[in-house]
Amino acid sequence: MHELSIVMEVVKQVEKLAQEHHVTKVKSVTVEVGEVSGVVKDYFLDAFDWMCKKNELMKDCELNYITIQAISYCQDCKKTYPTTKYAKECPYCHSNHTYLVSGRDFMIKEIKVI
Ligand SMILES: [Zn+2]
């Protein structure tokens, strides 16, 4: 399960930060997840829930899950378009010379502590 390993990575980061700042309780974690990052939201939420229950630091921690829209850029007509709707082909000029500009990443945006 791909999501579980990402959640474990998140927990690791949170633990590291908490240690550095002598924090004992984390209130909420905000993550930004790209539409085409391959993360399935439901699985991620489940995994996060499960990890938090086992972790004293993150018990009852809230998760804010923000989805970042995937955007592609067309090198021929210089326009951008939503990736998930049109995939690789530009909807304006039907070129295939396109690349993804956002929506692939996963990042921790904010961690709130008590
Ligand atoms: Zn185009």
Side-chain angles (χ1 to χ4, degrees):
M1 194 169 151
H2 174 64
E3 283 73 14
L4 183 59
S5 58
I6 297 174
V7 170
M8 281 172 151
E9 196 49 48
V10 171
V11 172
K12 224 200 269 173
Q13 297 271 340
V14 171
E15 278 175 340
K16 191 169 160 257
L17 259 161
Q19 211 169 29
E20 280 169 13
H21 299 275
H22 308 287
V23 166
T24 52
K25 206 87 186 157
V26 175
K27 196 169 162 237
S28 74
V29 175
T30 303
V31 293
E32 282 186 346
V33 189
E35 253 182 344
V36 293
S37 63
V39 174
V40 178
K41 187 177 176 181
D42 285 350
Y43 291 165
F44 187 91
L45 297 186
D46 280 353
F48 190 84
D49 229 38
W50 184 73
M51 282 299 284
C52 283
K53 277 186 193 133
K54 303 189 335 160
N55 191 314
E56 201 45 50
L57 179 72
M58 295 177 72
K59 220 171 182 173
D60 304 317
C61 170
E62 217 178 282
L63 176 71
N64 299 312
Y65 188 102
I66 300 168
T67 304
I68 302 295
Q69 195 189 23
I71 300 287
S72 285
Y73 176 76
C74 173
Q75 287 173 288
D76 288 340
C77 71
K78 322 277 183 223
K79 284 182 179 148
T80 56
Y81 64 90
T83 312
T84 48
K85 208 167 165 190
Y86 303 103
K88 245 200 99 53
E89 192 183 294
C90 171
Y92 303 104
C93 69
H94 302 287
S95 160
N96 274 316
H97 299 135
T98 60
Y99 61 87
L100 195 67
V101 285
S102 74
R104 197 188 285 137
D105 300 334
F106 174 91
M107 64 178 260
I108 303 172
K109 185 148 170 56
E110 191 179 37
I111 296 166
K112 277 196 184 138
V113 297
I114 292 170

